[in-house]
Amino acid sequence: MSNPFSPREWLQLTMQQQGLLQPQTSVAETVSRLSYVQIDSINVVERAHHHVLHSRMPRYQPQMLDSALAKGEIFEYWSHAAAYLPIADYRFSLQRKLQLQNGGKHWFEPDDKVMQEVRARILAEGPLKASDFEHSEGKNGAWWDWKPAKKALEQLFMRGELMVVRREKFQKVYDLTARVLPQDIKTQAPTEAEFTRYLIDRYLDAHAFGTAAQIAYLRKGLKSVVAQELAEMQSQGVLASFKAVGQSYFYRPALQLDAPLPNKVWLLNPFDNLLIQRQRLKQWFDFDYQIEVYVPAEKRRYGYYSLAILWRDTFVGRVDVKADRQTGILLLQQLTLEAGVVVNGLDEDFCAAFDTAIREYARFNGCERWKLVKANHKGLKQKYARQQKC
């Protein structure tokens, strides 16, 4: 269990595998590299799935994702949450779909009569969204008040009978899977062994190294199965391992660091693939991060929607952001640097990289200017006392 890399090299390997050190060229390539991109509805700034892609594709625009979905290069389904997935991985979604077809439940009890009616309408009329179905009873607000047709659409989607062809104002538009799925895509459900190997391969592709628990993240009952397969792969020489903090981490022996580390600041979304496993982030990057959207306002430390600030290979702070779309100003509502970071004056390299990152992020959000509202660093407050142009 020798360790061929230093702790800092492991960090950079993770960043490399995450597609941060070298620009990615397409949505399909980026989603495949990451294994999934989580979908989220919060829109105080551009939505999370678009931001994750922007962080890895310098010229990314939201319509690029729509185009990739329309071309059948990616598809929408459930990973550990709602996500865009590589179309090549479609067959691995069949395991969950078959479980639901065989009596499993996703949030709601299936209503076969309504599902049959919904299916018939889509067959006859083509792609439809929930608002295309009339319903006069009850409320149509939060997810627990979903109308029967929306529940039926979601059940049919989760079972695999429907696919999402696009979103209109963030509403899913559904069509029959038989009319959407590219003909050359394999539709044979994986065995348990194939699915386990898929989880391992995808995780190592995206993160460089990991434990059984990390690879089986939010996959109920799969940790022991993954651990057994990892041990078998190591015995075959397919994987190697090393010990850190009392845990066994697995990686591919051919892994190497190819990309140089630039003087760059990345503003990472709360749902970014690099951040999503908080314990791993804390252990390896020494960064204790929590999204505070779900924290009561009076208990928030860093703000409603704080992006993580990654400078080179170190997380140096958080910035709470909001796009004022009427004025075209990106508001940095609260900029908080970690203790001990850029304390003695202002580091010119950091400021140059930070300026570039903020300008690019502001433009990505359709803003022409940005403004620092509050900061815990006196030098930064003075430097950015006025609105900045992009």
Side-chain angles (χ1 to χ4, degrees):
M1 286 194 177
S2 60
N3 188 337
F5 301 106
S6 68
R8 188 170 185 184
E9 286 173 330
W10 282 118
L11 302 187
Q12 294 176 23
L13 282 162
T14 296
M15 294 172 65
Q16 172 182 280
Q17 297 306 109
Q18 281 283 298
L20 292 172
L21 299 187
Q22 293 177 315
Q24 305 303 292
T25 59
S26 71
V27 169
E29 173 192 323
T30 308
V31 173
S32 182
R33 173 180 279 274
L34 295 173
S35 84
Y36 73 92
V37 171
Q38 185 171 334
I39 301 169
D40 192 74
S41 62
I42 299 169
N43 68 341
V44 292
V45 284
E46 187 59 83
R47 288 189 170 95
H49 39 287
H50 294 306
H51 184 189
V52 169
L53 293 166
H54 163 74
S55 296
R56 292 156 176 84
M57 297 174 60
R59 295 178 179 84
Y60 174 79
Q61 295 296 326
Q63 59 265 29
M64 294 179 181
L65 187 147
D66 299 334
S67 175
L69 185 64
K71 291 177 182 177
E73 297 173 343
I74 59 175
F75 73 106
E76 182 173 332
Y77 195 61
W78 194 264
S79 179
H80 71 271
Y84 291 108
L85 303 158
I87 196 65
D89 290 357
Y90 177 82
R91 67 183 291 251
F92 295 100
S93 72
L94 295 174
Q95 187 182 70
R96 186 182 185 95
K97 290 170 181 174
L98 290 174
Q99 290 172 352
L100 294 171
Q101 290 173 22
N102 294 326
K105 186 176 73 171
H106 180 75
W107 293 342
F108 310 111
E109 289 291 344
D111 187 323
D112 292 333
K113 181 175 182 296
V114 178
M115 289 167 63
Q116 184 176 353
E117 293 170 353
V118 165
R119 190 189 300 108
R121 272 198 63 185
I122 292 177
L123 176 63
E125 301 175 31
L128 296 173
K129 53 186 181 294
S131 60
D132 293 321
F133 295 84
E134 294 182 0
H135 180 67
S136 58
E137 300 177 9
K139 298 180 293 181
N140 296 328
W143 66 269
W144 55 86
D145 293 319
W146 280 4
K147 57 188 179 183
K150 181 160 184 162
K151 293 179 183 179
L153 284 165
E154 195 63 15
Q155 287 291 336
L156 290 167
F157 167 69
M158 290 302 298
R159 286 185 179 190
E161 296 183 54
L162 299 180
M163 291 183 72
V164 174
V165 293
R166 63 182 178 275
R167 283 182 179 248
E168 296 178 359
K169 296 182 179 178
F170 205 64
Q171 287 191 66
K172 295 177 183 175
V173 180
Y174 304 86
D175 199 0
L176 300 177
T177 295
R179 296 197 294 223
V180 178
L181 188 67
Q183 293 184 352
D184 61 340
I185 297 302
K186 295 179 181 179
T187 56
Q188 181 180 3
T191 63
E192 182 182 81
E194 288 175 325
F195 187 74
T196 303
R197 185 66 175 263
Y198 157 76
L199 291 179
I200 293 170
D201 286 341
R202 276 302 191 186
Y203 192 89
L204 297 182
D205 286 345
H207 296 278
F209 61 99
T211 66
Q214 290 167 354
I215 293 167
Y217 178 65
L218 296 184
R219 303 278 186 174
K220 189 175 180 180
L222 285 182
K223 180 181 175 181
S224 61
V225 178
V226 168
Q228 291 173 12
E229 181 64 17
L230 287 168
E232 178 64 22
M233 292 173 74
Q234 183 174 10
S235 70
Q236 296 171 353
V238 177
L239 298 181
S241 69
F242 67 93
K243 284 277 190 180
V245 198
Q247 301 180 80
S248 293
Y249 283 86
F250 294 84
Y251 65 97
R252 296 192 178 100
L255 183 68
Q256 59 183 3
L257 188 58
D258 299 319
L261 182 67
N263 179 54
K264 181 172 180 176
V265 162
W266 290 267
L267 304 173
L268 296 183
N269 190 273
F271 301 97
D272 194 279
N273 300 54
L274 186 62
L275 306 184
I276 206 68
Q277 291 197 28
R278 312 303 194 206
Q279 288 303 314
R280 178 185 171 106
L281 186 70
K282 186 175 181 179
Q283 178 184 339
W284 284 95
F285 286 90
D286 193 26
F287 188 59
D288 192 1
Y289 177 81
Q290 177 188 11
I291 184 174
E292 295 185 330
V293 166
Y294 313 109
V295 175
E298 66 276 9
K299 294 184 179 180
R300 290 178 192 141
R301 297 178 60 195
Y302 304 109
Y304 176 78
Y305 202 74
S306 292
L307 311 181
I309 304 172
L310 175 61
W311 178 35
R312 296 173 179 159
D313 56 5
T314 303
F315 283 94
V316 298
R318 303 160 179 80
V319 58
D320 182 32
V321 289
K322 180 179 181 180
D324 187 332
R325 295 178 173 98
Q326 288 187 334
T327 63
I329 300 174
L330 176 71
L331 299 174
L332 310 189
Q333 301 193 110
Q334 183 175 333
L335 173 58
T336 308
L337 294 183
E338 294 284 277
V341 176
V342 244
V343 171
N344 300 317
L346 289 174
D347 187 294
E348 292 183 4
D349 287 342
F350 170 75
C351 288
F354 182 75
D355 287 353
T356 298
I358 291 292
R359 285 198 304 271
E360 290 177 351
Y361 184 70
R363 287 194 293 264
F364 172 64
N365 278 278
C367 296
E368 298 176 351
R369 293 169 291 164
W370 61 273
K371 178 182 179 181
L372 178 61
V373 179
K374 181 181 177 183
N376 72 338
H377 191 285
K378 183 178 179 181
L380 288 175
K381 285 191 289 186
Q382 292 173 345
K383 180 176 176 62
Y384 301 123
R386 298 180 180 179
Q387 289 185 15
Q388 305 291 312
K389 292 183 179 180
C390 298

